[in-house]
Amino acid sequence: MTSSAPGRVFNFSAGPAALPVEVLETARDEMLDYRGTGMSVMEMSHRSAAFMAIAEQAEADFRELLSVPDEYAVLFLQGGATLQFSMVPLNLLGDRNRADYVNTGAWSTKAIKEARRFCEVNVAASSESSRFTEIPDPASWSLSSDAAYLHLCTNETIGGVQFHEFPEVPVPLVADMSSDILSRPVDVSRFALIYAGAQKNIGPAGLTVVVVRRDLLGRARPGTPSMLDYAVHAEADSMSNTPPTYAWYLAGLVFRWLKAQGGVGGMQALNQRKAAKLYDALERSNFYTSPVSRHDRSLMNVPFTLPDPALDKPFLSGAEERGLTNLKGHRSVGGMRASLYNAVPEAAVDALVDYMQSFEHEHG
Ligand code: PMP
């Protein structure tokens, strides 16, 4: 797994998040002179042969990792996952005026709020009444008959709830996979569109990956800016304007690294092991608590609380001293959150669990 390097901490950040050391080392080695071109990838024309090769290889590796069928376009865009909250309705509503959304937390809520600018949103299900600590049972969802699509967030980065199965729905399924893409195998053909901001499991911020079924392209509503039209980007291989070249290159290095680690199957096994270690530690303890219902716990983002918020500060400063960083929970939830993305090594979880036990021993 990820080798460590001198001075490196165990980084549990929710995003931008830890990158594999090997990827950073390659980027360092290729920084001044990318493979004999005499320049950094940052300094290259996006139309140069060297960059085109980087871009094509990254797309090919991504397609291989997720077994993306040919009838899907893979786009490398800007604007973050947040811009997808608008691009999805702008491109997929067609002549309809309604979309179904499942509300499982803070990111679904934001997607819903943005979609309301473009159409009527039917919130088909919501776990707000349980403070977003579970995924509503699909059997209880109230789908509308005339929705253009159904949107869900496969992993709520803040609340720490994750879909472990995907529902069968009669309309195109759209998924925000920002915080769990490439963490496990996914049957892409179950989805009409998948999007993800890069800065968790893909690479640095500034890049957004969109996987969209090609038959859905070309239906953007009149007046849609061309930069927000998937068809324009698909037609131009994501180069209708200057793409985020360096982020694309680094994503390509991450994809290559993932393939060397056994692909998304290998990642899933590792991620299950990592998460199980932390959740088991939470379960064994009467000191720490996970707010999320057992079946829906995220393998990527693990929120937990201490028995008294007054202990949060000493917990965090003790963690920092051991090189365990970015464990502070999101301000809306409080407590702690450990993000265990692909590049977070198992040794990081071992060190965290070890620290949690000694802190409990001292303060419990
Ligand atoms: N969706 C999810 C699930 C996220 O975790 C985030 C960012 N943390 C976003 C959307 C927004 O992404 P961005 O900041 O790239 O716009």
Side-chain angles (χ1 to χ4, degrees):
M1 258 311 120
T2 309
S3 60
S4 59
R8 299 269 302 165
V9 293
F10 287 136
N11 181 4
F12 297 96
S13 171
L19 285 165
V21 173
E22 293 88 339
V23 164
L24 297 173
E25 286 171 343
T26 303
R28 176 196 62 199
D29 295 344
E30 295 179 339
M31 178 62 75
L32 298 185
D33 176 8
Y34 177 76
R35 301 193 188 174
T37 56
M39 63 178 85
S40 169
V41 175
M42 271 183 259
E43 303 170 293
M44 275 175 197
S45 163
H46 57 297
R47 314 259 178 222
S48 64
F51 187 76
M52 295 288 268
I54 289 169
E56 280 166 22
Q57 190 62 50
E59 181 179 336
D61 287 342
F62 178 86
R63 285 181 171 278
E64 186 182 326
L65 282 164
L66 274 187
S67 306
V68 179
D70 287 344
E71 58 267 30
Y72 287 74
V74 176
L75 310 177
F76 291 80
L77 308 180
Q78 302 187 54
T82 303
L83 188 56
Q84 295 310 308
F85 299 163
S86 310
M87 282 178 74
V88 164
L90 276 171
N91 283 269
L92 298 193
L93 281 169
D95 53 11
R96 305 207 174 188
N97 189 37
R98 189 187 306 276
D100 285 351
Y101 279 68
V102 177
N103 191 358
T104 50
W107 292 109
S108 307
T109 301
K110 289 203 175 190
I112 289 167
K113 188 164 173 237
E114 196 65 12
R116 287 205 164 112
R117 297 166 64 89
F118 304 102
C119 66
E120 282 174 33
V121 170
N122 168 46
V123 178
S126 170
S127 52
E128 190 169 9
S129 61
S130 69
R131 307 195 62 197
F132 298 126
T133 54
E134 63 190 353
I135 302 285
D137 178 0
S140 72
W141 296 5
S142 61
L143 305 177
S144 23
S145 55
D146 57 348
Y149 59 87
L150 180 136
H151 179 282
L152 52 80
C153 176
T154 54
N155 184 71
E156 286 282 355
T157 320
I158 293 174
V161 296
Q162 184 175 27
F163 279 87
H164 296 296
E165 301 96 34
F166 300 114
E168 289 287 351
V169 289
V171 293
L173 184 58
V174 175
D176 176 356
M177 289 196 191
S178 292
S179 50
D180 65 356
I181 197 163
L182 296 172
S183 69
R184 56 180 172 176
V186 160
D187 179 358
V188 172
S189 70
R190 298 277 306 277
F191 298 87
L193 187 147
I194 293 167
Y195 63 89
Q199 63 272 19
K200 293 113 167 35
N201 269 338
I202 293 177
L207 174 70
T208 310
V209 175
V210 174
V211 181
V212 54
R213 223 172 56 213
R214 292 185 204 273
D215 64 299
L216 297 166
L217 298 174
R219 301 185 348 190
R221 70 160 54 174
T224 300
S226 50
M227 273 295 284
L228 304 188
D229 184 341
Y230 294 129
V232 170
H233 293 289
E235 178 65 26
D237 293 327
S238 306
M239 296 210 193
S240 87
N241 74 325
T242 315
T245 51
Y246 198 74
W248 193 332
Y249 155 73
L250 266 189
L253 294 182
V254 172
F255 301 155
R256 201 165 80 198
W257 177 83
L258 280 171
K259 282 171 60 178
Q261 311 301 312
V264 291
M267 277 302 128
Q268 180 179 43
L270 171 71
N271 289 328
Q272 284 172 341
R273 231 172 31 239
K274 281 156 40 186
K277 280 185 172 176
L278 184 48
Y279 284 119
D280 286 350
L282 296 174
E283 286 303 313
R284 276 197 312 270
S285 149
N286 294 320
F287 186 81
Y288 302 102
T289 310
S290 159
V292 179
S293 79
R294 221 173 244 259
H295 179 263
D296 303 322
R297 289 178 177 172
S298 167
L299 302 193
M300 294 283 99
N301 310 97
V302 183
F304 61 93
T305 53
L306 280 63
D308 177 356
L311 290 170
D312 289 359
K313 237 183 173 164
F315 180 90
L316 287 166
S317 58
E320 283 290 334
E321 276 167 32
R322 291 184 178 217
L324 307 169
T325 70
N326 289 314
L327 284 165
K328 191 172 179 350
H330 191 270
R331 60 189 181 282
S332 65
V333 177
M336 305 298 146
R337 172 177 50 168
S339 294
L340 310 180
Y341 299 125
N342 289 341
V344 173
E346 195 164 355
V349 180
D350 292 336
L352 174 60
V353 168
D354 192 55
Y355 168 62
M356 287 167 67
Q357 283 164 354
S358 69
F359 188 88
E360 174 175 352
H361 195 67
E362 203 178 315
H363 298 269

